[in-house]
Amino acid sequence: MVINESLRLYPPATLLPRMAFEDIKLGDLHIPKGLQIWIPVLAIHHSKEIWGEDANEFNPDRFASKPFAPGRHFIPFATGPRNCIGQSFAMMEAKIILAMLISRFSFQISDSYRHAPVVVLTTKPKYGVQVYLKPLNS
Ligand code: HEM
């Protein structure tokens, strides 16, 4: 839930480029062959219409309480036949690292931390993330 919520608020890939290889009708929308489409992942992930008034808040519980259809509104790894081939690996890696860290350390964010996510090809913390780690058994 925590990893999903982090990927929702700060998706590393904020835009997904696609090109229509044939004429497509999408609802009332006519998409002609050859048109380039940019899927705005960041905007979809922050939409209050989809996620509610707290769309910009960090709330991992939303992945527990609200049934959601992965691949529709939550698309950090894209969706469809060309979605991320490393998705399962990346999720497993993140869970293992997070589990190892929280079982051994407590965390405190530094006073010098400035929350400034920026998109430079991928989403990054502009000034880094300064965190104090304290061993749990000390
Ligand atoms: C948090 C980590 C990751 C995120 C958020 C992520 C996200 C994405 C996204 C959004 C795409 C689709 C791009 C598009 O369709 O335009 C993609 C494709 C891809 N990713 Fe990842 N990825 C991650 C980790 C990985 C890892 C660990 C690997 C390899 C071990 C990997 C390998 C690939 C490959 C090969 C593609 C291209 C798949 C294709 O075009 O068929 N990714 N990734």
Side-chain angles (χ1 to χ4, degrees):
M1 285 156 56
V2 165
I3 295 167
N4 277 349
E5 181 66 341
S6 305
L7 287 169
R8 183 186 71 83
L9 283 173
Y10 310 108
T14 55
L15 280 172
L16 298 172
R18 290 291 183 268
M19 185 191 276
F21 285 144
E22 54 190 54
D23 287 352
I24 301 171
K25 195 143 167 50
L26 211 64
D28 293 336
L29 218 60
H30 170 65
I31 298 169
K33 179 180 174 182
L35 190 77
Q36 275 216 11
I37 300 166
W38 290 80
I39 302 166
V41 178
L42 193 62
I44 295 168
H45 281 192
H46 284 251
S47 162
K48 289 188 176 168
E49 215 175 289
I50 295 169
W51 301 96
E53 275 309 303
D54 70 343
N56 293 322
E57 304 295 321
F58 183 78
N59 175 16
D61 278 345
R62 73 177 80 245
F63 283 96
S65 55
K66 207 193 263 176
F68 69 100
R72 274 179 60 75
H73 307 314
F74 180 61
I75 45 172
F77 295 100
T79 184
R82 298 303 296 264
N83 79 334
C84 178
I85 201 171
Q87 172 169 357
S88 301
F89 176 75
M91 287 302 283
M92 184 176 62
E93 192 181 29
K95 284 178 198 169
I96 291 170
I97 293 169
L98 194 59
M100 287 172 79
L101 284 171
I102 60 176
S103 64
R104 285 166 209 192
F105 299 97
S106 67
F107 301 85
Q108 198 191 342
I109 197 91
S110 162
D111 287 342
S112 62
Y113 172 72
R114 284 166 71 193
H115 190 66
V118 283
V119 177
V120 192
L121 195 60
T122 55
T123 309
K124 296 188 169 78
K126 186 169 183 184
Y127 306 108
V129 180
Q130 297 78 31
V131 181
Y132 296 106
L133 273 72
K134 195 170 155 217
L136 284 175
N137 55 7
S138 72

